[in-house]
Amino acid sequence: MTYHPKSDFMRVMIERGFLADCTDYQGLDEALSKGVVPGYIGFDATAKSLHVGSLIQIMMLRWLQKTGGKPITLMGGGTTKVGDPSFRADERPLLTPEEIDGNIAGIQQVFAKYIAYDEGPMPSSSEAVGPQNAALMLNNAEWLDDLNYLDFLRDIGRHFSVNRMLSFESVKSRLDREQSLSFLEFNYMILQAYDFLELNRRYGCLLQMGGSDQWGNIVNGIDLTRRVLDHEIYGLTSPLLTTSDGKKMGKSADGAVWLNADMRSPYEFWQFWRNTTDADVGRFLKLYTELPVEECERLGALKGAEINEAKIVLANEVTTLCHGAEAAAAAAATAREVFEKGGVGDDLPTLEIGAAELGDGISVVQLIVRAGLAKSGKEAKRLIAEHGAKIDDAPLTDAGLMIDRGALAAPIKLSAGKKRHALVRLAD
């Protein structure tokens, strides 16, 4: 199916599974058909990279641009100082301004791989972007850092009802569990609402998007903008995704699946998608690739050994968008060598051990942990005891094995189960 600019954004959202709810479906669809609609999603800077859990929002911004809209990526330089309490059981740790700036610098790297910020071709796409729909990268510290508290309370705070704020599920669920909600966190939804007001006032932004946990915050921003500016604006949310086996999207056995290559190698990223559960393949193809819907459904319906080919298509497509075609091809080649030929590949996660650190030898249990194949020595020993560990493709049965300089004359391959591998080599 071919999508056409300025008319199909809502159709994409529905057909590909992005849409959970919309404040005014018809009104937004009409606005999209009339001209360029600026739409934003906010990203708080709580880590140096976004992970796969944020990828659905990034794809929504990409589709907005591909169908003629103007994406705005809003960095939460101001709101990160407060912390979003939505559906959390505890308060987020407060970060210093220097930590926030460092995290923003890391996060910004990924957006240029999906969205065009200048006139010209979109990344990994044949579509061209004109000056009217080139993306904007903004930081809400621009207007939040210098707010006068008394003026803000008088001009903005008076439009908010505490009774209504307490009724939002993200807050209500926390209070129902008798878990503390600080006054600092309670102010977050007011600040996010103010973001929408300022983006509408400064940049004509008409749409805020986010996960369904942001519904209350989005509605607050719409109400505030209507009260202060009397402007009609819209909100759209995506479903909060879990895998078919109930796991939170963006997590794997060895931690978060980061989007930045320095925090998660392209090979490990590729492997995450290659290991997708059969039942999720079709859905993930629609959400995280740009293959036609019919092709996503055909691939997702494959059975038996054929579904593995669909998983490779998924891994290649998603990795190409995030890390480039060359990285995707290298990851696929490494996977073929590792899994089909029993080799070590060129792109496996690698642990380098210095000669001084090696000394007279280092335990294989310690290497398994440091290579990221187990979270603790206890877990590594259990892996060995349960016959789940291998060294150079041979079963590893001795948890007391010491690896010395002779053993590392050539790189060794450690494996945990059938799908997780790492190289260990002596540093130069």
Side-chain angles (χ1 to χ4, degrees):
M1 181 174 294
T2 302
Y3 295 111
H4 302 283
K6 295 187 180 179
S7 61
D8 278 341
F9 178 70
M10 294 303 290
R11 186 151 65 99
V12 173
M13 293 297 99
I14 294 169
E15 289 182 347
R16 303 189 78 95
F18 287 100
L19 183 63
D21 212 338
C22 182
T23 55
D24 182 355
Y25 175 95
Q26 184 173 350
L28 175 56
D29 199 38
E30 290 175 357
L32 288 160
S33 68
K34 291 177 181 177
V36 176
V37 169
Y40 92 97
I41 299 178
F43 299 88
D44 278 345
T46 55
K48 291 185 179 296
S49 171
L50 298 174
H51 59 65
V52 164
S54 298
L55 192 52
I56 188 171
Q57 274 77 49
I58 297 173
M59 290 300 293
M60 290 166 77
L61 288 170
R62 180 173 170 86
W63 277 114
L64 179 66
Q65 189 168 49
K66 283 173 70 73
T67 55
K70 186 180 185 69
I72 298 174
T73 47
L74 181 66
M75 297 290 97
T79 44
T80 305
K81 296 173 184 176
V82 174
D84 185 359
S86 296
F87 295 99
R88 287 183 60 86
D90 54 5
E91 188 171 354
R92 291 184 186 274
L94 296 180
L95 303 177
T96 66
E98 293 75 22
E99 289 173 324
I100 292 171
D101 289 343
N103 288 347
I104 288 175
I107 289 171
Q108 287 177 334
Q109 296 174 22
V110 75
F111 289 107
K113 300 173 183 177
Y114 290 88
I115 301 164
Y117 289 89
D118 299 300
E119 186 175 357
M122 284 187 67
S124 302
S125 176
S126 59
E127 279 85 357
V129 170
Q132 75 282 357
N133 71 318
L136 293 175
M137 175 75 73
L138 304 174
N139 187 332
N140 61 16
E142 178 184 339
W143 50 83
L144 294 181
D145 276 4
D146 296 326
L147 283 177
N148 179 290
Y149 187 59
L150 290 178
D151 289 343
F152 185 73
L153 284 179
R154 183 193 62 200
D155 298 337
I156 302 301
R158 65 190 179 90
H159 294 294
F160 289 84
S161 162
V162 171
N163 303 59
R164 186 160 184 263
M165 292 164 71
L166 289 172
S167 71
F168 287 121
E169 188 60 33
S170 59
V171 173
K172 186 174 180 293
S173 61
R174 179 104 159 246
L175 298 179
D176 286 345
R177 294 192 299 267
E178 298 183 355
Q179 292 166 331
S180 174
L181 179 70
S182 71
F183 179 70
L184 179 69
E185 293 176 289
F186 192 60
N187 276 273
Y188 184 93
M189 65 178 69
I190 299 178
L191 296 178
Q192 184 171 329
Y194 187 68
D195 282 346
F196 204 173
L197 170 67
E198 283 297 316
L199 287 170
N200 180 258
R201 179 156 42 200
R202 296 173 183 227
Y203 302 98
C205 183
L206 296 180
L207 172 65
Q208 181 182 174
M209 300 182 288
S212 57
D213 59 333
Q214 296 299 311
W215 180 255
N217 293 335
I218 291 172
V219 169
N220 270 333
I222 292 171
D223 289 346
L224 177 64
T225 305
R226 286 172 177 168
R227 290 170 182 268
V228 176
L229 301 178
D230 194 27
H231 288 177
E232 192 67 29
I233 57 177
Y234 310 95
L236 184 151
T237 60
S238 63
L240 292 181
L241 285 187
T242 58
T243 57
S244 59
D245 53 3
K247 294 179 182 177
K248 187 175 182 181
M249 192 62 186
K251 301 288 184 181
S252 69
D254 53 345
V257 183
W258 303 107
L259 300 181
N260 286 18
D262 59 342
M263 294 179 68
R264 186 86 174 195
S265 74
Y267 172 78
E268 293 173 297
F269 185 81
W270 189 96
Q271 277 295 330
F272 170 79
W273 297 100
R274 169 61 182 82
N275 293 333
T276 295
T277 304
D278 293 2
D280 290 324
V281 173
R283 181 168 59 128
F284 287 0
L285 282 165
K286 289 180 186 178
L287 290 170
Y288 301 115
T289 82
E290 294 175 336
L291 294 176
V293 171
E294 294 86 349
E295 179 66 2
C296 296
E297 292 173 345
R298 184 191 71 80
L299 290 168
L302 295 175
K303 303 293 182 184
E306 288 185 330
I307 193 67
N308 291 326
E309 295 305 314
K311 293 178 184 181
I312 291 173
V313 172
L314 172 66
N316 286 339
E317 293 288 328
V318 181
T319 306
T320 295
L321 282 174
C322 189
H323 296 296
E326 187 175 328
T334 297
R336 283 194 301 273
E337 185 174 351
V338 170
F339 299 116
E340 296 175 11
K341 302 177 184 178
V344 296
D346 297 322
D347 200 24
L348 281 180
T350 300
L351 171 66
E352 293 193 340
I353 301 294
E357 180 183 11
L358 180 62
D360 295 329
I362 187 170
S363 74
V364 73
V365 166
Q366 187 177 348
L367 292 179
I368 289 172
V369 173
R370 291 185 54 186
L373 300 178
K375 294 181 180 179
S376 65
K378 183 177 180 181
E379 183 180 317
K381 290 176 181 178
R382 184 170 64 249
L383 183 70
I384 295 170
E386 294 175 353
H387 310 291
K390 290 184 178 182
I391 182 167
D392 288 333
D393 295 320
L396 178 58
T397 56
D398 181 8
L401 178 67
M402 299 295 291
I403 304 297
D404 58 16
R405 181 183 290 271
L408 281 175
I412 63 174
K413 174 183 169 187
L414 295 176
S415 304
K418 296 180 180 180
K419 298 180 179 180
R420 299 171 58 221
H421 311 270
L423 290 183
V424 181
R425 63 163 49 104
L426 193 63
D428 296 333

